[in-house]
Amino acid sequence: VPTVRVPAGAVAGVVEMERSVTAVLGQDVVLPCRYRAQEREQVEQVTWLKRGPGGHSAEVAVLHRQHGQHVQEPYAGRVLRQADGALEDGAIVLRN
């Protein structure tokens, strides 16, 4: 589940993502997330969370405009950004 942070005071745009994604065991899967920004908006950060049983969420990866990408240890080497550039495309690839 991605969360998108925009600068304070900005009018919020729309997060576009798939309701469900089908993956094949042992293959890469793209987890899409696109932010349709309003005029003069810029995405600062995209945070990917894994929702577990009982509603508990664990951070998977943080994509930050200035500080780059940080992937939590259990997912290191398995999570990549799908596209370079602006974070309006916050999709990630989960490998294997």
Side-chain angles (χ1 to χ4, degrees):
V1 177
T3 59
V4 177
R5 187 177 78 185
V6 295
V11 176
V14 176
V15 176
E16 298 171 342
M17 59 186 188
E18 299 295 323
R19 189 158 187 80
S20 68
V21 175
T22 301
V24 176
L25 186 63
Q27 294 187 8
D28 297 353
V29 63
V30 175
L31 302 178
C33 174
R34 182 132 187 87
Y35 184 75
R36 197 164 12 119
Q38 298 294 318
E39 187 178 333
R40 296 183 300 156
E41 268 189 318
Q42 185 176 34
V43 176
E44 295 289 324
Q45 177 176 305
V46 176
T47 303
W48 280 91
L49 305 170
K50 179 180 180 181
R51 189 174 298 156
H56 175 73
S57 293
E59 187 176 282
V60 173
V62 175
L63 313 175
H64 194 278
R65 186 171 64 88
Q66 292 178 339
H67 303 294
Q69 170 179 304
H70 175 73
V71 178
Q72 294 298 324
E73 189 54 43
Y75 305 97
R78 293 188 55 220
V79 173
L80 308 166
R81 272 199 71 193
Q82 183 186 24
D84 292 329
L87 287 177
E88 281 73 15
D89 183 354
I92 59 172
V93 177
L94 184 58
R95 299 190 66 209
N96 192 13

